[in-house]
Amino acid sequence: MMRRLGDRARLAVEVGEVWPPDAATGDLRTVDVWAGGTWLTTVDNTAYVPSFTHYLRRDAEQVRRRDVRTCPFPERSPEEICRLLYAQACAGESDFSEQFRLMDWGPTADNVTCFAYLNGDELIITLVLRDDDHLPEDQEKVVVARILADECVAVLTEAADLLDAERVR
């Protein structure tokens, strides 16, 4: 049974069963991540819990501290901003774009590149999705999610707490 923390239209982490079902520790879990109404973990939704919860807590703390940059190009749309940052990162000019990275969560999110920035109390999350079977080869889909920073912190923290609480050590 999947348990959802958050709202798929903004940001949600859905925690599923231990994998494989007869595993003793619960180190591997089915985890689906949603943002902006889009399922992000289409390529790999099996998370290694110790690492995944570390990444969730790291990002939650970063957002809680408001250690997230403000909009890098205020005159542009979130989609355009995402494409500009992604192009810089792909061209090896990542010094600037790295300042906006978020949700770098290991293999579970390998098909997603996320850039985020603050607009007041709102966190704008932009994501480039790759390896989607529904897209032509060499084409990426850009997804934009808007969420209050405090709501983002709550979703990530609650997901990490749930995953840790159900893990056998």
Side-chain angles (χ1 to χ4, degrees), residues 21-86:
D22 59 349
T25 64
D27 280 348
L28 295 177
R29 292 291 290 267
T30 300
V31 177
D32 288 323
V33 180
W34 293 75
T38 302
W39 180 30
L40 305 180
T41 49
T42 58
V43 175
D44 180 4
N45 69 343
T46 302
Y48 178 65
V49 173
S51 296
F52 195 72
T53 58
H54 166 77
Y55 298 139
L56 292 174
R57 291 185 193 289
R58 178 196 62 198
D59 284 0
E61 182 59 20
Q62 180 181 348
V63 174
R64 187 194 64 73
R65 288 190 327 261
R66 300 302 194 265
D67 188 16
V68 178
R69 303 281 309 258
T70 58
C71 183
F73 308 108
E75 68 285 355
R76 298 189 184 257
S77 72
E79 292 85 357
E80 290 175 299
I81 292 168
C82 184
R83 290 191 189 283
L84 285 169
L85 293 171
Y86 185 67

Side-chain angles (χ1 to χ4, degrees), residues 12 15-17 54 58-59 61 73 86 92 97 106-107 109 125 129 134 152:
V15 177
E17 301 304 317
H54 166 77
R58 178 196 62 198
D59 284 0
E61 182 59 20
F73 308 108
Y86 185 67
S97 63
I125 301 170
L129 302 180
H134 302 90
C152 177

Side-chain angles (χ1 to χ4, degrees), residues 69 85 88-89 92-100:
R69 303 281 309 258
L85 293 171
Q88 288 177 352
E93 303 165 11
S94 61
D95 288 346
F96 182 71
S97 63
E98 273 302 309
Q99 298 173 47
F100 297 91

Side-chain angles (χ1 to χ4, degrees), residues 40 43-44 103-113 128 130-131:
L40 305 180
V43 175
D44 180 4
M103 293 172 56
D104 191 6
W105 295 345
T108 306
D110 272 353
N111 63 310
V112 179
T113 300
V128 176
R130 300 173 310 283
D131 299 325

